[in-house]
Amino acid sequence: MKAVVYQGPFSVSVEEVDKPAIQHPNDVLVKVTSTAICGSDLHMYEGRTAAEPGIVFGHENMGIVEEVGDGVTTLKEGDRVVVPFNVACGFCRNCAEGFTGYCTTVNPGFAGGAYGYVSMGPWQGGQAEYLRVPYADFNCLKLPEGTEHETDFVLLADIFPTGYHGCELAQVRPGESVAVYGAGPVGLMAAYSAMLRGAKQVFVVDRVAERLQKAEEIGATPIDFSQGDPVEQIKDRTDGVGTDKGVDAVGYQATAGGSGEEEPAVVLNSLVGTVRPTGALGVPGLYVPADPGAPDEQAKQGMLLVAIGKLFEKGLRVGTGQCNVKRYNRHLRDMIIEGRAKPSFVVSHELGLDEAADAYDKFDKRVDGYTKVVLHP
Ligand code: ZN
Ligand code: ZN
């Protein structure tokens, strides 16, 4: 089968690899119909991780069940499913308590597994014609038959739940104001989710004009951080108070406004400044325990200079960590089916698998409006 294979920094290619097979009675084999490229794929693509050449990328996958293991009870050939990026067993303590992003079964020595991702276990990615899904009864979410809402549903694998998770971590409630840092796909999903949860006002901070424009299109207030301190810009629009809640949808590759240079703690510290005393921050943006590409020695070891004194003084709560997709994907699916949510506004390009190399290049450079790419193998 064809798959997107990592070749080394800034290089992927579509190659012929072995088609996966059922290896355990609880597996299913999915014929992939849609698979999205994620900002976190770029961490590997840019050579900022320990990813070795040969890894097949792709953790945002959906498709049609093609083959079913003998132990699978709720799925059958022909079912249309979306697969959370988390690989989870369903029976370990963390899974049982709803923290499927921290499964201790699927990735020995590390809590949490994912498809096609370095250090997240041996699970081959789905930017390919086929995907093997383990613990399939637990991991597959069934979708209505047909092809309707395809580009909405594929976003249930990661970014729609992850954006929603940012709001859940920040405990966004109806009538509140929210500042979302980052207008990439996850940031836009966080802003959209804040509105679904009834926020009265949502600010979205970025500097890429077309991303800020998307934020404005969904009813958020765009804040261009290249035009001045975003904390001051938001305070000016909130009677000097700041917002009730904040979401960091940027993570460790944050850049400063003036210079455009990487400054890994700048978003966290801006959020500490933006959110009013007693508010809360949700941090679904990725921070890592080691980053060889970081700009200073401490950051290389995952340690950042964060304004903990101000955080404490303001009594801010902080929620962090990757999304437990199964906590949200069913409800969000149903909102899509009922026409209450249409997250596909974020999808900029739908391409064939063969166009993956070019898509990675353009998405990485943020050119030609490449915001969110969905590949159809
Ligand atoms: Zn992703
Ligand atoms: Zn588990």
Side-chain angles (χ1 to χ4, degrees), residues 224-275:
D224 183 345
F225 73 80
S226 70
Q227 301 299 309
D229 182 1
V231 178
E232 293 309 316
Q233 292 191 57
I234 292 171
K235 285 199 164 166
D236 285 348
R237 290 167 173 79
T238 52
D239 297 327
V241 175
T243 58
D244 298 305
K245 300 289 166 65
V247 176
D248 174 355
V250 178
Y252 71 107
Q253 288 193 24
T255 54
S259 63
E261 279 176 20
E262 272 190 37
E263 208 178 297
V266 69
V267 168
L268 288 172
N269 286 329
S270 295
L271 277 167
V272 171
T274 301
V275 176

Short mmCIF file of all heavy atoms in Angstrom, two decimals, residues 224-275:
data_model
loop_
_atom_site.label_atom_id
_atom_site.label_comp_id
_atom_site.label_asym_id
_atom_site.label_seq_id
_atom_site.Cartn_x
_atom_site.Cartn_y
_atom_site.Cartn_z
N ASP A 224 -3.73 40.92 16.62
CA ASP A 224 -2.47 40.69 15.89
C ASP A 224 -1.30 41.07 16.80
O ASP A 224 -1.08 42.25 17.07
CB ASP A 224 -2.48 41.56 14.62
CG ASP A 224 -1.23 41.33 13.77
OD1 ASP A 224 -0.25 40.74 14.28
OD2 ASP A 224 -1.25 41.77 12.60
N PHE A 225 -0.57 40.06 17.28
CA PHE A 225 0.49 40.36 18.26
C PHE A 225 1.71 41.02 17.64
O PHE A 225 2.59 41.51 18.37
CB PHE A 225 0.86 39.11 19.08
CG PHE A 225 1.65 38.05 18.38
CD1 PHE A 225 3.02 38.17 18.20
CD2 PHE A 225 1.03 36.89 17.92
CE1 PHE A 225 3.75 37.17 17.58
CE2 PHE A 225 1.75 35.89 17.29
CZ PHE A 225 3.12 36.04 17.12
N SER A 226 1.77 41.06 16.30
CA SER A 226 2.88 41.80 15.70
C SER A 226 2.61 43.31 15.73
O SER A 226 3.50 44.13 15.49
CB SER A 226 3.12 41.33 14.26
OG SER A 226 2.06 41.73 13.43
N GLN A 227 1.39 43.69 16.08
CA GLN A 227 1.01 45.11 16.15
C GLN A 227 1.07 45.67 17.57
O GLN A 227 0.55 46.75 17.83
CB GLN A 227 -0.41 45.31 15.61
CG GLN A 227 -0.62 44.85 14.18
CD GLN A 227 0.26 45.61 13.20
OE1 GLN A 227 0.29 46.84 13.20
NE2 GLN A 227 1.01 44.88 12.37
N GLY A 228 1.66 44.91 18.50
CA GLY A 228 1.73 45.41 19.88
C GLY A 228 1.42 44.30 20.87
O GLY A 228 0.87 43.27 20.49
N ASP A 229 1.78 44.53 22.12
CA ASP A 229 1.61 43.54 23.18
C ASP A 229 0.16 43.04 23.22
O ASP A 229 -0.76 43.83 23.44
CB ASP A 229 1.98 44.20 24.52
CG ASP A 229 1.87 43.23 25.68
OD1 ASP A 229 1.55 42.06 25.46
OD2 ASP A 229 2.10 43.68 26.82
N PRO A 230 -0.06 41.76 23.02
CA PRO A 230 -1.43 41.25 23.00
C PRO A 230 -2.14 41.39 24.34
O PRO A 230 -3.36 41.56 24.39
CB PRO A 230 -1.26 39.76 22.63
CG PRO A 230 0.16 39.42 22.96
CD PRO A 230 0.93 40.69 22.78
N VAL A 231 -1.36 41.36 25.43
CA VAL A 231 -1.98 41.52 26.76
C VAL A 231 -2.63 42.90 26.84
O VAL A 231 -3.80 43.03 27.27
CB VAL A 231 -0.92 41.35 27.88
CG1 VAL A 231 -1.56 41.57 29.24
CG2 VAL A 231 -0.28 39.96 27.79
N GLU A 232 -1.89 43.91 26.42
CA GLU A 232 -2.43 45.28 26.47
C GLU A 232 -3.61 45.42 25.50
O GLU A 232 -4.62 46.07 25.83
CB GLU A 232 -1.34 46.30 26.12
CG GLU A 232 -0.24 46.37 27.17
CD GLU A 232 -0.79 46.54 28.59
OE1 GLU A 232 -1.72 47.36 28.78
OE2 GLU A 232 -0.31 45.85 29.51
N GLN A 233 -3.48 44.83 24.33
CA GLN A 233 -4.57 44.93 23.34
C GLN A 233 -5.86 44.34 23.90
O GLN A 233 -6.96 44.88 23.70
CB GLN A 233 -4.20 44.21 22.05
CG GLN A 233 -3.07 44.86 21.26
CD GLN A 233 -2.95 44.24 19.87
OE1 GLN A 233 -3.90 44.23 19.09
NE2 GLN A 233 -1.78 43.70 19.56
N ILE A 234 -5.74 43.21 24.61
CA ILE A 234 -6.95 42.57 25.15
C ILE A 234 -7.47 43.34 26.36
O ILE A 234 -8.68 43.56 26.51
CB ILE A 234 -6.66 41.09 25.50
CG1 ILE A 234 -6.42 40.30 24.20
CG2 ILE A 234 -7.81 40.48 26.29
CD1 ILE A 234 -5.92 38.87 24.39
N LYS A 235 -6.55 43.83 27.19
CA LYS A 235 -7.00 44.62 28.35
C LYS A 235 -7.74 45.88 27.90
O LYS A 235 -8.74 46.28 28.50
CB LYS A 235 -5.82 44.95 29.25
CG LYS A 235 -5.38 43.74 30.06
CD LYS A 235 -4.54 44.13 31.26
CE LYS A 235 -4.46 42.96 32.23
NZ LYS A 235 -3.41 43.14 33.24
N ASP A 236 -7.22 46.50 26.83
CA ASP A 236 -7.89 47.69 26.29
C ASP A 236 -9.33 47.39 25.89
O ASP A 236 -10.18 48.29 25.89
CB ASP A 236 -7.14 48.21 25.06
CG ASP A 236 -5.84 48.92 25.44
OD1 ASP A 236 -5.64 49.20 26.64
OD2 ASP A 236 -5.03 49.17 24.53
N ARG A 237 -9.59 46.16 25.50
CA ARG A 237 -10.94 45.79 25.04
C ARG A 237 -11.79 45.15 26.13
O ARG A 237 -12.90 44.70 25.88
CB ARG A 237 -10.82 44.83 23.85
CG ARG A 237 -10.29 45.49 22.57
CD ARG A 237 -9.90 44.43 21.55
NE ARG A 237 -9.55 45.00 20.26
CZ ARG A 237 -8.38 45.58 19.96
NH1 ARG A 237 -7.44 45.70 20.90
NH2 ARG A 237 -8.14 46.05 18.76
N THR A 238 -11.23 45.05 27.35
CA THR A 238 -11.99 44.45 28.45
C THR A 238 -11.97 45.37 29.69
O THR A 238 -11.88 44.89 30.83
CB THR A 238 -11.41 43.06 28.83
OG1 THR A 238 -9.99 43.20 29.04
CG2 THR A 238 -11.65 42.02 27.76
N ASP A 239 -12.05 46.65 29.45
CA ASP A 239 -12.05 47.64 30.54
C ASP A 239 -10.86 47.46 31.48
O ASP A 239 -10.98 47.68 32.70
CB ASP A 239 -13.36 47.55 31.35
CG ASP A 239 -14.57 47.90 30.49
OD1 ASP A 239 -14.42 48.76 29.60
OD2 ASP A 239 -15.65 47.30 30.70
N GLY A 240 -9.75 47.03 30.94
CA GLY A 240 -8.55 46.89 31.76
C GLY A 240 -8.51 45.65 32.63
O GLY A 240 -7.55 45.45 33.39
N VAL A 241 -9.54 44.82 32.55
CA VAL A 241 -9.66 43.68 33.47
C VAL A 241 -8.95 42.43 32.96
O VAL A 241 -8.35 41.67 33.73
CB VAL A 241 -11.16 43.34 33.70
CG1 VAL A 241 -11.31 42.09 34.57
CG2 VAL A 241 -11.86 44.52 34.33
N GLY A 242 -8.99 42.21 31.66
CA GLY A 242 -8.51 40.94 31.11
C GLY A 242 -9.66 39.97 30.94
O GLY A 242 -10.82 40.29 31.25
N THR A 243 -9.36 38.79 30.47
CA THR A 243 -10.41 37.80 30.21
C THR A 243 -10.61 36.87 31.40
O THR A 243 -9.75 36.75 32.27
CB THR A 243 -10.07 36.93 28.98
OG1 THR A 243 -8.82 36.27 29.21
CG2 THR A 243 -9.97 37.77 27.72
N ASP A 244 -11.76 36.20 31.40
CA ASP A 244 -12.04 35.23 32.47
C ASP A 244 -11.17 33.99 32.32
O ASP A 244 -10.75 33.39 33.31
CB ASP A 244 -13.52 34.81 32.42
CG ASP A 244 -14.45 35.97 32.66
OD1 ASP A 244 -14.30 36.63 33.71
OD2 ASP A 244 -15.32 36.22 31.80
N LYS A 245 -10.94 33.58 31.07
CA LYS A 245 -10.24 32.33 30.83
C LYS A 245 -9.26 32.49 29.68
O LYS A 245 -9.37 33.43 28.88
CB LYS A 245 -11.27 31.21 30.49
CG LYS A 245 -12.30 30.94 31.58
CD LYS A 245 -11.70 30.27 32.80
CE LYS A 245 -12.58 30.27 34.03
NZ LYS A 245 -13.82 29.53 33.93
N GLY A 246 -8.32 31.58 29.59
CA GLY A 246 -7.35 31.63 28.50
C GLY A 246 -6.98 30.23 28.04
O GLY A 246 -7.01 29.27 28.81
N VAL A 247 -6.65 30.13 26.75
CA VAL A 247 -6.23 28.84 26.18
C VAL A 247 -4.92 29.03 25.41
O VAL A 247 -4.82 29.93 24.58
CB VAL A 247 -7.30 28.26 25.23
CG1 VAL A 247 -6.81 26.96 24.58
CG2 VAL A 247 -8.62 28.01 25.98
N ASP A 248 -3.95 28.19 25.71
CA ASP A 248 -2.67 28.19 24.98
C ASP A 248 -2.74 27.10 23.91
O ASP A 248 -2.65 25.92 24.21
CB ASP A 248 -1.52 27.90 25.96
CG ASP A 248 -0.17 27.74 25.26
OD1 ASP A 248 -0.11 27.74 24.02
OD2 ASP A 248 0.83 27.60 25.99
N ALA A 249 -2.95 27.54 22.67
CA ALA A 249 -3.00 26.60 21.55
C ALA A 249 -1.74 26.77 20.68
O ALA A 249 -1.79 26.57 19.47
CB ALA A 249 -4.26 26.83 20.72
N VAL A 250 -0.66 27.16 21.32
CA VAL A 250 0.60 27.34 20.60
C VAL A 250 1.64 26.30 21.03
O VAL A 250 2.16 25.53 20.23
CB VAL A 250 1.17 28.76 20.82
CG1 VAL A 250 2.51 28.92 20.09
CG2 VAL A 250 0.18 29.81 20.31
N GLY A 251 1.93 26.31 22.35
CA GLY A 251 2.93 25.37 22.84
C GLY A 251 4.34 25.91 22.72
O GLY A 251 4.57 27.11 22.58
N TYR A 252 5.30 24.98 22.73
CA TYR A 252 6.70 25.35 22.96
C TYR A 252 7.38 26.04 21.80
O TYR A 252 8.46 26.59 21.96
CB TYR A 252 7.49 24.13 23.40
CG TYR A 252 7.76 23.09 22.33
CD1 TYR A 252 9.03 22.93 21.79
CD2 TYR A 252 6.76 22.25 21.89
CE1 TYR A 252 9.29 21.96 20.82
CE2 TYR A 252 7.00 21.28 20.93
CZ TYR A 252 8.27 21.14 20.40
OH TYR A 252 8.52 20.18 19.46
N GLN A 253 6.78 26.00 20.61
CA GLN A 253 7.43 26.70 19.49
C GLN A 253 6.86 28.11 19.33
O GLN A 253 6.72 28.62 18.22
CB GLN A 253 7.30 25.89 18.20
CG GLN A 253 8.18 24.64 18.22
CD GLN A 253 8.34 23.98 16.85
OE1 GLN A 253 8.19 24.60 15.82
NE2 GLN A 253 8.64 22.71 16.86
N ALA A 254 6.57 28.74 20.45
CA ALA A 254 6.01 30.10 20.43
C ALA A 254 7.07 31.10 19.99
O ALA A 254 8.26 30.91 20.23
CB ALA A 254 5.51 30.46 21.82
N THR A 255 6.61 32.15 19.32
CA THR A 255 7.53 33.21 18.89
C THR A 255 7.10 34.55 19.46
O THR A 255 5.92 34.78 19.69
CB THR A 255 7.58 33.32 17.36
OG1 THR A 255 6.25 33.48 16.87
CG2 THR A 255 8.19 32.09 16.73
N ALA A 256 8.09 35.41 19.66
CA ALA A 256 7.81 36.73 20.20
C ALA A 256 7.33 37.66 19.10
O ALA A 256 7.57 37.42 17.92
CB ALA A 256 9.07 37.28 20.86
N GLY A 257 6.64 38.73 19.52
CA GLY A 257 5.99 39.62 18.56
C GLY A 257 6.94 40.41 17.68
O GLY A 257 6.86 40.36 16.47
N GLY A 258 7.86 41.13 18.31
CA GLY A 258 8.71 42.02 17.54
C GLY A 258 9.70 41.27 16.66
O GLY A 258 9.72 41.44 15.44
N SER A 259 10.48 40.40 17.27
CA SER A 259 11.59 39.75 16.57
C SER A 259 11.13 38.57 15.72
O SER A 259 11.76 38.24 14.72
CB SER A 259 12.60 39.24 17.60
OG SER A 259 11.99 38.26 18.42
N GLY A 260 10.06 37.92 16.13
CA GLY A 260 9.65 36.69 15.45
C GLY A 260 10.52 35.51 15.83
O GLY A 260 10.38 34.43 15.29
N GLU A 261 11.41 35.71 16.82
CA GLU A 261 12.26 34.61 17.25
C GLU A 261 11.54 33.72 18.25
O GLU A 261 10.65 34.16 18.96
CB GLU A 261 13.54 35.17 17.89
CG GLU A 261 14.56 35.56 16.84
CD GLU A 261 15.80 36.19 17.44
OE1 GLU A 261 16.05 35.98 18.64
OE2 GLU A 261 16.49 36.89 16.70
N GLU A 262 11.98 32.46 18.33
CA GLU A 262 11.35 31.54 19.27
C GLU A 262 11.61 31.97 20.70
O GLU A 262 12.72 32.29 21.08
CB GLU A 262 11.87 30.11 19.06
CG GLU A 262 11.04 29.38 18.03
CD GLU A 262 11.35 27.89 17.94
OE1 GLU A 262 11.59 27.28 18.99
OE2 GLU A 262 11.33 27.38 16.82
N GLU A 263 10.55 31.95 21.47
CA GLU A 263 10.61 32.32 22.88
C GLU A 263 9.59 31.41 23.57
O GLU A 263 8.42 31.75 23.67
CB GLU A 263 10.22 33.80 23.02
CG GLU A 263 10.84 34.49 24.19
CD GLU A 263 10.45 35.96 24.25
OE1 GLU A 263 10.80 36.72 23.32
OE2 GLU A 263 9.76 36.33 25.20
N PRO A 264 10.04 30.24 24.02
CA PRO A 264 9.09 29.17 24.36
C PRO A 264 8.09 29.49 25.46
O PRO A 264 7.02 28.89 25.51
CB PRO A 264 10.00 28.01 24.80
CG PRO A 264 11.36 28.34 24.33
CD PRO A 264 11.44 29.83 24.14
N ALA A 265 8.42 30.43 26.36
CA ALA A 265 7.49 30.71 27.46
C ALA A 265 6.59 31.91 27.19
O ALA A 265 5.78 32.29 28.03
CB ALA A 265 8.27 30.94 28.76
N VAL A 266 6.70 32.51 26.01
CA VAL A 266 6.03 33.81 25.81
C VAL A 266 4.51 33.70 25.86
O VAL A 266 3.83 34.58 26.39
CB VAL A 266 6.51 34.49 24.50
CG1 VAL A 266 6.03 33.76 23.26
CG2 VAL A 266 6.06 35.95 24.45
N VAL A 267 3.96 32.60 25.37
CA VAL A 267 2.50 32.47 25.39
C VAL A 267 2.00 32.23 26.81
O VAL A 267 1.02 32.86 27.26
CB VAL A 267 2.03 31.36 24.43
CG1 VAL A 267 0.56 31.02 24.67
CG2 VAL A 267 2.22 31.81 22.98
N LEU A 268 2.69 31.36 27.55
CA LEU A 268 2.27 31.11 28.94
C LEU A 268 2.31 32.41 29.73
O LEU A 268 1.37 32.73 30.48
CB LEU A 268 3.19 30.07 29.58
CG LEU A 268 3.02 28.64 29.08
CD1 LEU A 268 4.12 27.74 29.66
CD2 LEU A 268 1.64 28.09 29.45
N ASN A 269 3.37 33.17 29.55
CA ASN A 269 3.49 34.40 30.32
C ASN A 269 2.48 35.46 29.86
O ASN A 269 1.96 36.22 30.67
CB ASN A 269 4.93 34.92 30.26
CG ASN A 269 5.83 34.07 31.15
OD1 ASN A 269 5.38 33.53 32.16
ND2 ASN A 269 7.08 33.92 30.75
N SER A 270 2.19 35.48 28.57
CA SER A 270 1.15 36.40 28.09
C SER A 270 -0.21 36.02 28.68
O SER A 270 -1.01 36.88 29.04
CB SER A 270 1.06 36.36 26.57
OG SER A 270 2.25 36.87 26.00
N LEU A 271 -0.46 34.73 28.80
CA LEU A 271 -1.74 34.29 29.38
C LEU A 271 -1.83 34.67 30.85
O LEU A 271 -2.90 35.09 31.32
CB LEU A 271 -1.91 32.78 29.21
CG LEU A 271 -2.45 32.36 27.84
CD1 LEU A 271 -2.29 30.85 27.63
CD2 LEU A 271 -3.93 32.74 27.69
N VAL A 272 -0.73 34.55 31.56
CA VAL A 272 -0.74 34.97 32.96
C VAL A 272 -1.10 36.45 33.04
O VAL A 272 -1.83 36.88 33.94
CB VAL A 272 0.63 34.69 33.62
CG1 VAL A 272 0.72 35.33 35.02
CG2 VAL A 272 0.89 33.18 33.72
N GLY A 273 -0.64 37.23 32.08
CA GLY A 273 -0.98 38.65 32.04
C GLY A 273 -2.40 38.92 31.57
O GLY A 273 -3.03 39.87 32.02
N THR A 274 -2.92 38.07 30.69
CA THR A 274 -4.21 38.33 30.04
C THR A 274 -5.41 37.96 30.92
O THR A 274 -6.44 38.63 30.89
CB THR A 274 -4.31 37.51 28.73
OG1 THR A 274 -3.24 37.89 27.86
CG2 THR A 274 -5.64 37.75 28.03
N VAL A 275 -5.28 36.87 31.66
CA VAL A 275 -6.44 36.33 32.38
C VAL A 275 -6.58 37.03 33.73
O VAL A 275 -5.58 37.25 34.44
CB VAL A 275 -6.29 34.81 32.55
CG1 VAL A 275 -7.44 34.24 33.39
CG2 VAL A 275 -6.26 34.14 31.17
#
